[in-house]
Amino acid sequence: MRWILRWAMRAVLMALLAIVVIGLWKRDEILRLWAVNTLFDEGRIVENFSHMDRAFLTVPLGRGEGPVSDLPEGPPLALPQGTQAWIEARAVTSLMVLHEGRVVHESYHLGTGPEDRRIGWSLSKSYLSALFGLLVEDGTIASLDVPVTHYDRRLIGGAYDGVTIRQVLQMTSGVEFDEDYLDYHSDINRMGRVLALGGTMDGFAAGLMARAAQPGALWEYVSIDTHVLGMVVRGATGREIPDLLTERILAPLGLEDAPYYLSDGEGVAFVLGGLNMRTRDHARFGLMYEQMGVYEGRQVVPADWVRLSTRASAPTQPGKIGYGYQWWIPVGAPDGVFMARGIYGQYIYIDQDRDAVIVVTSADRGFREEGVHEANVEMMRRIAEAL
């Protein structure tokens, strides 16, 4: 009996030793997975959104070598009635309003500040759209109607085979992708775990096989579409997106601080939702789009692309929100009103007629509740009207 106990104790000790060795070997991956699984917890979410580099692998972007561009102060805006209640209810962390290129309101909440480089989530998609416009203008990408497999052959044989660049820009790829953030087993959350554990996003995208609809037939918001656009950009240019975005979009804006992307285990930028930057620098990007791609007298993004990408062109249902090339158009909005949008309450809202740019960052755990997004858009519309 004693020898059985001795062998049992040895087995237990060996198992514990193996757990310790594996834990040390995979320490970073385990910590990142734990961080992802607690990323949105109440009490953690605000701090996490300002320090995503603690939970994920990252790659840096530059801000260029030029001086910080001026954002002059304008006359303070009297915010509409109910704004403070909205800020509190929606866990807004920053609110910035530009009118005629001048700062008329800037405030930070829940312990955040102007130096925070906060996660933009799907605001990132609109930045990639801007880069796309430049590559189309200079002929690097000759046509939006060629298949994405022309630029990355790893997509051949999967769900993206035969899908055109335009269809992916409009999110009419038809690829089946479950974007339910509250379902642990959804595709979007599986993708998050791939990212956290240092897997390959390219491999994840190429491995998708199922279609929910024929390409071009149906608009369905599919975040992985934007990663495929990133694969197209890398295939067309032979360069990494952080370098391209810095050189062609960010450097001309005179940012205050260098942003960073979340990345996968191969150092590929998480372009569909991983851009982290200051609120004031988002405002500079928004101002450039509000001015039809011009910033401080320089045409940064082609005016034709600004116009094309921010007009509803995807086949959304009548009376529903519109979608262009990685930009959103509010229901019933006139031309010149459009927005970048990210989960948990991130917005860059632009109203060209009113010469207004509104940037909102939030940590809103109730962002999926019915009517919340519509209430956010209504508040931003009222702020723009108050100018």
Side-chain angles (χ1 to χ4, degrees):
M1 179 63 80
R2 289 181 179 178
W3 69 268
I4 294 175
L5 290 174
R6 283 199 299 271
W7 276 106
M9 288 297 296
R10 287 177 184 174
V12 169
L13 289 172
M14 290 296 291
L16 289 173
L17 180 62
I19 290 170
V20 170
V21 169
I22 292 171
L24 291 173
W25 178 41
K26 293 290 187 179
R27 176 179 178 274
D28 289 343
E29 289 90 338
I30 291 169
L31 288 175
R32 286 199 300 271
L33 184 59
W34 178 84
V36 167
N37 287 336
T38 60
L39 194 64
F40 310 113
D41 286 0
E42 189 175 6
R44 294 179 181 271
I45 184 170
V46 173
E47 178 77 5
N48 287 342
F49 280 15
S50 287
H51 302 284
M52 295 293 285
D53 51 347
R54 297 174 182 173
F56 293 92
L57 299 171
T58 65
V59 289
L61 294 98
R63 58 159 303 276
E65 300 300 324
V68 174
S69 65
D70 188 29
L71 286 178
E73 296 290 326
L77 172 66
L79 293 169
Q81 185 177 2
T83 303
Q84 185 59 39
W86 168 74
I87 287 171
E88 294 171 4
R90 301 275 54 97
V92 170
T93 50
S94 69
L95 172 63
M96 187 166 187
V97 184
L98 304 186
H99 183 226
E100 297 177 342
R102 296 180 294 173
V103 179
V104 296
H105 179 85
E106 181 178 9
S107 61
Y108 298 87
H109 310 274
L110 298 176
T112 65
E115 293 81 20
D116 288 20
R117 292 180 296 177
R118 292 188 65 78
I119 182 72
W121 298 116
S122 288
L123 292 186
S124 312
K125 294 177 168 70
S126 299
Y127 283 80
L128 188 64
S129 174
L131 180 59
F132 234 90
L134 288 166
L135 299 179
V136 170
E137 182 193 43
D138 67 16
T140 302
I141 294 174
S143 170
L144 298 182
D145 295 314
V146 300
V148 293
T149 51
H150 178 77
Y151 292 102
D152 198 317
R153 297 184 62 81
R154 289 174 295 179
L155 296 167
I156 293 174
Y160 283 98
D161 200 345
V163 180
T164 69
I165 295 171
R166 190 185 309 276
Q167 289 162 346
V168 180
L169 276 166
Q170 294 176 320
M171 293 207 176
T172 60
S173 66
V175 171
E176 185 175 299
F177 190 83
D178 182 358
E179 195 120 354
D180 185 352
Y181 297 93
L182 303 181
D183 180 357
Y184 179 84
H185 300 289
S186 68
D187 293 313
I188 194 74
N189 284 325
R190 286 197 306 111
M191 183 188 71
R193 292 191 290 276
V194 167
L195 193 72
L197 292 173
T200 163
M201 288 290 296
D202 289 350
F204 182 86
L208 294 172
M209 296 294 165
R211 279 186 179 161
Q214 286 301 306
L218 178 70
W219 178 80
E220 188 71 36
Y221 190 77
V222 171
S223 280
I224 197 65
D225 278 0
T226 311
H227 183 81
V228 170
L229 292 175
M231 295 171 75
V232 168
V233 169
R234 287 183 279 123
T237 64
R239 297 181 62 189
E240 293 300 320
I241 289 170
D243 294 338
L244 281 168
L245 193 66
T246 296
E247 175 187 310
R248 306 200 65 178
I249 303 293
L250 302 184
L253 300 182
L255 303 185
E256 295 181 4
D257 196 5
Y260 66 89
Y261 270 122
L262 307 185
S263 75
D264 70 5
E266 297 182 339
V268 173
F270 187 54
V271 294
L272 68 87
L275 187 61
N276 296 258
M277 63 195 301
R278 293 187 181 186
T279 295
R280 292 175 64 87
D281 289 337
H282 280 310
R284 290 177 167 91
F285 177 76
L287 181 60
M288 180 265 291
Y289 255 76
E290 191 269 319
Q291 298 174 148
M292 295 304 294
V294 174
Y295 196 81
E296 294 194 329
R298 175 178 175 178
Q299 192 76 50
V300 180
V301 175
D304 286 346
W305 183 262
V306 172
R307 187 176 299 107
L308 185 66
S309 62
T310 62
R311 301 301 184 264
S313 58
T316 56
Q317 296 179 1
K320 298 294 185 181
I321 196 166
Y323 201 75
Y325 294 163
Q326 309 286 291
W327 286 89
W328 297 85
I329 298 87
V331 177
D335 285 347
V337 175
F338 52 91
M339 60 190 175
R341 174 187 175 191
I343 57 172
Y344 292 91
Q346 327 308 321
Y347 294 92
I348 303 174
Y349 180 95
I350 295 167
D351 185 330
Q352 292 177 320
D353 284 347
R354 291 189 169 89
D355 211 346
V357 176
I358 302 170
V359 180
V360 179
T361 67
S362 306
D364 184 6
R365 298 172 76 243
F367 78 102
R368 297 276 306 210
E369 294 171 5
E370 186 175 355
V372 166
H373 167 67
E374 291 77 11
N376 289 343
V377 174
E378 174 62 16
M379 179 55 68
M380 290 184 289
R381 184 189 66 79
R382 289 178 56 206
I383 292 171
E385 286 183 346
L387 294 168

